[in-house]
Amino acid sequence: MRKEVRIALDTNIFISGLVTGRRTETSVKKLVDLLIRETLEGRLGGESAIRLVFPRIVLEELLEVLDNIFSTYEELDELKEIIQLLYEISIDASPDEIGKFLKEVRLVLERNCKELGKNDACNFDESDIPIIAASLACECDYFVTGDKKIHRAFCRKNNEPAKIGNMTILFPHEALSHLSV
């Protein structure tokens, strides 16, 4: 039985925590800093109970966003090196493992659309499905995103966190709270 908490971040959280949030102290910045610190500590032989999950699909989307939107960012090359290091020391899943979860994600969205009439589940952004499937394949406990549509699409009952399989979908401030930081 594993003792670490596995957390995957949506691309929007990486961007906010690594680029746009660097100048101010926000819950996103605190969360990204915590995950980077804990993942590095765990990889360096320390006792870390938190592990960053960084699927290749998120890495590719993140690098694409940086190149397209932040191409003039002064520290872009340094930032890309940090991102590549994070990818190398984090957990990823193979395309075959991810493929097994694509169907599950689509089935949950279809069910939430039909049974609950959730518009966000009916009109879900197809590009987010592989990211969520990859997080499930990596056995994440939490998937952190600022995208309200993702939360609404996977939420079965009001006032309950969104969930798919054993993975809870959280906003950054909720993740910090769950990690007791």
Side-chain angles (χ1 to χ4, degrees):
M1 187 170 143
R2 79 178 150 86
K3 60 181 179 180
E4 66 195 9
V5 174
R6 293 185 179 183
I7 301 174
L9 302 178
D10 198 1
T11 306
N12 62 51
I13 301 301
F14 272 114
I15 293 293
S16 296
L18 293 172
V19 181
T20 58
R22 294 319 290 166
R23 291 170 183 78
T24 59
E25 194 65 25
T26 65
S27 60
V28 173
K29 181 183 179 304
K30 286 179 188 176
L31 178 65
V32 171
D33 288 349
L34 170 72
L35 291 174
I36 291 170
R37 187 174 60 251
E38 291 290 323
T39 298
L40 286 171
E41 183 178 313
R43 292 294 296 177
L44 296 173
E47 293 287 325
S48 177
I50 301 170
R51 187 72 187 273
L52 175 65
V53 174
F54 195 1
R56 175 160 287 284
I57 190 166
V58 175
L59 169 73
E60 291 168 355
E61 185 178 62
L62 181 57
L63 293 174
E64 182 180 324
V65 169
L66 289 173
D67 285 338
N68 292 336
I69 298 174
F70 296 97
S71 60
T72 60
Y73 185 68
E74 290 177 17
E75 300 155 354
L76 184 61
D77 290 337
E78 181 182 319
L79 185 58
K80 284 183 175 182
E81 286 178 26
I82 292 168
I83 290 167
Q84 189 61 45
L85 173 66
L86 286 175
Y87 174 73
E88 289 171 10
I89 65 171
S90 71
I91 298 169
D92 192 5
S94 72
D96 288 340
E97 292 170 318
I98 295 167
K100 294 174 188 175
F101 287 93
L102 287 172
K103 185 175 182 180
E104 179 183 345
V105 174
R106 286 189 172 95
L107 286 172
V108 169
L109 288 168
E110 185 179 314
R111 180 193 69 208
N112 287 354
C113 176
K114 287 180 180 176
E115 291 178 14
L116 304 175
K118 289 196 166 270
N119 192 41
D120 290 308
C122 301
N123 301 310
F124 198 76
D125 183 350
E126 279 290 317
S127 68
D128 287 326
I129 292 174
I131 293 171
I132 293 168
S135 300
L136 287 167
C138 293
E139 300 178 359
C140 285
D141 299 290
Y142 302 111
F143 178 75
V144 182
T145 182
D147 189 335
K148 292 177 184 174
K149 290 180 183 179
I150 292 175
H151 288 270
R152 290 190 301 254
F154 289 101
C155 185
R156 296 284 295 164
K157 295 179 182 175
N158 289 340
N159 300 322
E160 286 187 11
K163 214 170 166 70
I164 180 167
N166 292 323
M167 184 174 71
T168 303
I169 300 170
L170 300 172
F171 288 108
H173 68 278
E174 293 171 321
L176 282 172
S177 176
H178 280 319
L179 297 172
S180 302
V181 176

